């Protein structure tokens, strides 16, 4: 901590301390974490372990200004203030700017005004009928798949059609749990959390807490190595323009990365959900003793096997479920990666919220099919800027976001869905070529 009159103590600060940005930035280690919200300095070192969004997501802002991230993630800041108050250790010196690391104060202020106007216009208010109808069509798809088998039997054609319908229901349930996980449906967070557990647990057989802790990190620091788990590819792929060169210079060749755009089709879409996510979810629930999520997860498998074992037997039911997960995984990977993988992927650069999100995301053209197929994640830019906004309002705020980006020269990318898909492959190829060049010549 600082020294001199009115500053905090060296044991972690005390209420009433006055700090500079340089002093705040010194507290960014795993065992010593401060952050700033609206010029107030908080010591989150001990409380971070109890943070509902997970230890890591709040730790990613240690030593930084977290004002914009705090506003983005918390639909009811007044409620959260009661948790912040005991952590308050002081404020920034009056001579210190409100933003850290030379961020554009005018851009941040205008984005704050845009967000306030959107909230005033009711764009953060959900339409219950929209989400009820979405849930209803998922339930109808599940029922249709079972009734087809029950009525027409288990021949190959009906089984394949059943698998496609179940995969569609699973994918759409994935987009719906995403809405509740972001607290964008109900005004009270506890209702969002409860329905989230029901949808991701009972309708999909996964874990709400696992999803929260992983996905919020992605939103907090998208496409940033060591902070966004979605770009932690376990050295199976090298991404962006920086990592391939680093691996090449170090002569790291765990796989033939110049061929990654080809083996992506074998290990990416087919295996992410059936293998990697499945193992990670079960492992996380057991290690964290998350018995509530485990119970919800078990309820899905109990319901599934209760319905399908009488029709297919045990091994047939497992084979059908594996096929469904295989199809769902392809759907999920292509939709989620078309917005992020071709974008800037690099180490932490401490950008403001809008610039950071725009450099890591792009949009896909709007259409009824694109909206439904992607769960409105074709508006990835607006979703990342306003994660608690109900998805049916993204198209209303999009023109305002685009105008703000044009004012400050921040690139706002819009693509066709086909271009988004092909850019995934081309970005992997370009990164692989960078790796090969560095591996051979540097």
């Amino acid at each position: 901590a600082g020294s001199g009159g009115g500053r905090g103590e060296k044991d972690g600060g005390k209420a009433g301390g006055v700090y500079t940005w340089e002093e705040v930035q010194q507290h960014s280690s795993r065992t010593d974490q401060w952050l700033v919200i609206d010029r107030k300095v908080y010591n989150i070192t001990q409380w971070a372990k109890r943070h509902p969004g997970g230890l890591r997501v709040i730790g990613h802002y240690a030593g930084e200004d977290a004002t914009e991230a705090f506003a983005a993630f918390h639909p009811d800041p007044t409620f959260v203030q009661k948790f912040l108050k005991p952590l308050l250790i002081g404020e920034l010196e009056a001579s210190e700017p409100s933003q850290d690391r030379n961020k554009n104060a005018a851009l941040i202020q205008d984005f704050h005004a845009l967000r306030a106007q959107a909230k005033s216009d009711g764009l953060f208010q959900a339409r219950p009928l929209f989400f009820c109808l979405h849930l209803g069509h998922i339930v109808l798809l599940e029922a249709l798949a079972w009734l087809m088998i029950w009525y027409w039997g288990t021949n190959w054609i009906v089984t394949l059609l059943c698998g496609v319908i179940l995969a569609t229901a699973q994918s759409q349930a994935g987009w719906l749990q995403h809405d509740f996980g972001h607290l964008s449906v109900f005004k009270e967070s506890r209702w969002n959390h409860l329905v989230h557990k029901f949808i991701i647990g009972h309708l999909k057989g996964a874990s709400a807490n696992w999803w929260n802790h992983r996905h919020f990190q992605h939103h907090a620091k998208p496409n940033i190595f060591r902070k966004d788990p979605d770009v932690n590819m376990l050295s199976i792929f090298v991404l962006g323009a920086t990592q391939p060169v680093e691996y090449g210079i170090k002569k790291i060749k765990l796989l033939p990365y110049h061929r990654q755009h080809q083996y992506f089709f074998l290990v990416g879409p087919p295996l992410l959900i059936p293998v990697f996510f499945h193992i990670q979810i079960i492992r996380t629930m057991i290690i964290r003793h998350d018995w509530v999520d485990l119970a919800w997860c078990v309820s899905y498998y109990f319901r599934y096997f209760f319905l399908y074992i009488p029709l297919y037997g045990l091994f047939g039911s497992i084979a059908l479920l594996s096929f469904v997960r295989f199809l769902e995984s392809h759907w999920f990977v292509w939709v989620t990666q078309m917005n992020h993988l071709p974008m800037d992927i690099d180490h932490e650069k401490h950008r403001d919220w809008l610039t950071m999100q725009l450099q890591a995301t792009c949009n896909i053209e709007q259409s009824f099919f694109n909206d439904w197929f992607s769960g409105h994640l074709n508006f990835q830019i607006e979703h990342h800027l306003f994660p608690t906004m109900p998805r049916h309002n993204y198209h209303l705020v999009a023109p305002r976001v685009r105008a703000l980006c044009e004012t400050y020269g921040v690139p706002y990318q819009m693509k066709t869905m086909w271009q988004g898909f092909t850019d995934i492959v081309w970005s992997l190829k370009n990164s692989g070529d960078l790796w090969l060049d560095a591996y051979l010549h540097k």
Side-chain angles (χ1 to χ4, degrees):
S3 60
R7 295 189 182 275
E9 300 293 338
K10 290 186 178 181
D11 61 1
K14 63 180 181 179
V18 179
Y19 306 97
T20 64
W21 277 117
E22 182 180 358
E23 290 169 328
V24 171
Q25 289 163 10
Q26 293 173 5
H27 299 270
S28 59
S29 67
R30 180 170 294 185
T31 57
D32 180 19
Q33 299 183 338
W34 292 9
L35 54 75
V36 176
I37 300 174
D38 291 325
R39 299 189 62 86
K40 302 293 184 182
V41 182
Y42 300 91
N43 185 342
I44 62 166
T45 306
Q46 298 301 320
W47 187 81
K49 299 175 183 178
R50 295 181 284 135
H51 182 237
L55 167 67
R56 292 180 179 175
V57 65
I58 193 171
H60 291 338
Y61 278 89
E64 299 181 25
D65 178 38
T67 304
E68 294 180 290
F70 177 81
F73 288 126
H74 301 95
D76 187 1
T78 303
F79 173 77
V80 184
Q81 284 295 334
K82 70 177 185 179
F83 298 98
L84 285 176
K85 190 174 181 179
L87 311 177
L88 180 65
I89 58 172
E91 61 184 3
L92 294 174
E93 282 189 351
S95 59
E96 289 288 298
S98 295
Q99 290 76 38
D100 59 339
R101 304 178 190 270
N102 299 316
K103 294 175 182 174
N104 189 330
L107 187 157
I108 293 173
Q109 184 176 358
D110 285 350
F111 176 72
H112 178 77
L114 190 159
R115 178 185 176 85
Q117 186 62 50
K119 183 167 289 189
S120 176
D121 292 344
L123 298 187
F124 284 84
Q125 295 178 9
R127 298 201 305 264
L129 180 61
F130 174 90
F131 295 101
C132 287
L133 290 175
H134 195 84
L135 176 60
H137 103 288
I138 293 168
V139 174
L140 285 175
L141 287 170
E142 293 263 4
L144 177 62
W146 184 84
L147 288 171
M148 285 172 47
I149 300 297
W150 175 78
Y151 186 78
W152 281 306
T154 57
N155 64 73
W156 280 105
I157 295 177
V158 177
T159 297
L160 289 174
L161 185 57
C162 172
V164 171
I165 293 174
L166 285 177
T168 301
Q170 285 294 293
S171 296
Q172 292 300 320
W175 308 143
L176 187 60
Q177 68 82 22
H178 179 260
D179 297 314
F180 288 95
H182 275 295
L183 313 179
S184 65
V185 182
F186 294 109
K187 291 183 179 179
E188 292 192 30
S189 296
R190 61 191 180 110
W191 288 110
N192 284 298
H193 290 309
L194 179 60
V195 179
H196 185 216
K197 287 185 180 294
F198 167 75
I199 295 175
I200 196 173
H202 185 67
L203 295 187
K204 289 191 61 61
S207 165
N209 287 336
W210 165 83
W211 182 90
N212 284 338
H213 292 182
R214 178 186 177 90
H215 192 66
F216 289 160
Q217 290 185 73
H218 162 68
H219 270 267
K221 296 288 186 177
N223 283 13
I224 295 176
F225 292 122
R226 299 181 181 175
K227 294 188 176 181
D228 179 1
D230 287 5
V231 296
N232 176 24
M233 297 295 183
L234 303 177
S235 296
I236 298 174
F237 302 100
V238 289
L239 306 176
T242 300
Q243 186 187 48
V245 175
E246 292 176 347
Y247 272 48
I249 292 174
K250 295 177 182 178
K251 309 304 176 187
I252 298 175
K253 188 183 180 182
L254 302 179
L255 286 167
Y257 296 120
H258 60 295
R259 302 291 186 189
Q260 65 179 4
H261 62 291
Q262 297 170 332
Y263 66 71
F264 167 77
F265 291 93
L266 300 177
V267 302
L271 302 182
L272 182 65
I273 289 179
V275 178
F276 179 70
F277 275 3
H278 185 74
I279 293 172
Q280 193 179 69
I281 289 169
I282 299 299
R283 180 175 177 271
T284 300
M285 288 190 294
I286 294 174
I287 289 177
R288 295 179 180 172
H289 299 166
D290 196 349
W291 310 129
V292 173
D293 276 14
L294 184 61
W296 280 110
C297 180
V298 169
S299 75
Y300 164 79
Y301 287 101
F302 178 83
R303 175 175 60 87
Y304 172 81
F305 286 116
F306 177 80
L307 290 173
Y308 284 94
I309 284 180
L311 301 173
Y312 284 99
L314 178 60
F315 292 108
S317 299
I318 294 174
L320 175 61
L321 182 59
S322 299
F323 177 60
V324 170
R325 295 296 190 215
F326 173 82
L327 295 178
E328 178 197 1
S329 188
H330 278 79
W331 192 330
F332 174 83
V333 169
W334 287 103
V335 168
T336 56
Q337 296 311 305
M338 67 183 178
N339 303 106
H340 293 299
L341 206 60
M343 304 302 292
D344 184 51
I345 303 175
D346 210 332
H347 299 290
E348 176 67 84
K349 293 185 178 178
H350 303 287
R351 301 183 178 102
D352 64 88
W353 181 258
L354 183 137
T355 304
M356 176 179 67
Q357 302 296 347
L358 266 292
Q359 298 232 338
T361 57
C362 67
N363 278 5
I364 303 299
E365 291 178 346
Q366 182 187 20
S367 70
F368 178 82
F369 175 79
N370 286 357
D371 291 353
W372 173 83
F373 185 78
S374 67
H376 286 85
L377 294 183
N378 49 327
F379 287 96
Q380 191 73 231
I381 291 173
E382 287 69 32
H383 171 59
H384 264 256
L385 292 177
F386 311 106
T388 60
M389 180 180 288
R391 60 160 127 155
H392 51 68
N393 288 334
Y394 291 158
H395 73 283
L396 298 175
V397 77
R400 309 181 192 184
V401 172
R402 192 162 196 164
L404 181 63
C405 290
E406 290 177 356
T407 299
Y408 288 95
V410 179
Y412 183 107
Q413 291 196 35
M414 175 79 73
K415 304 177 181 179
T416 64
M417 185 170 288
W418 177 250
Q419 183 183 356
F421 289 164
T422 56
D423 281 352
I424 294 174
V425 180
W426 284 114
S427 67
L428 288 171
K429 185 180 187 306
N430 291 336
S431 296
D433 290 343
L434 288 173
W435 168 82
L436 183 62
D437 179 69
Y439 185 84
L440 294 176
H441 305 120
K442 295 183 180 180

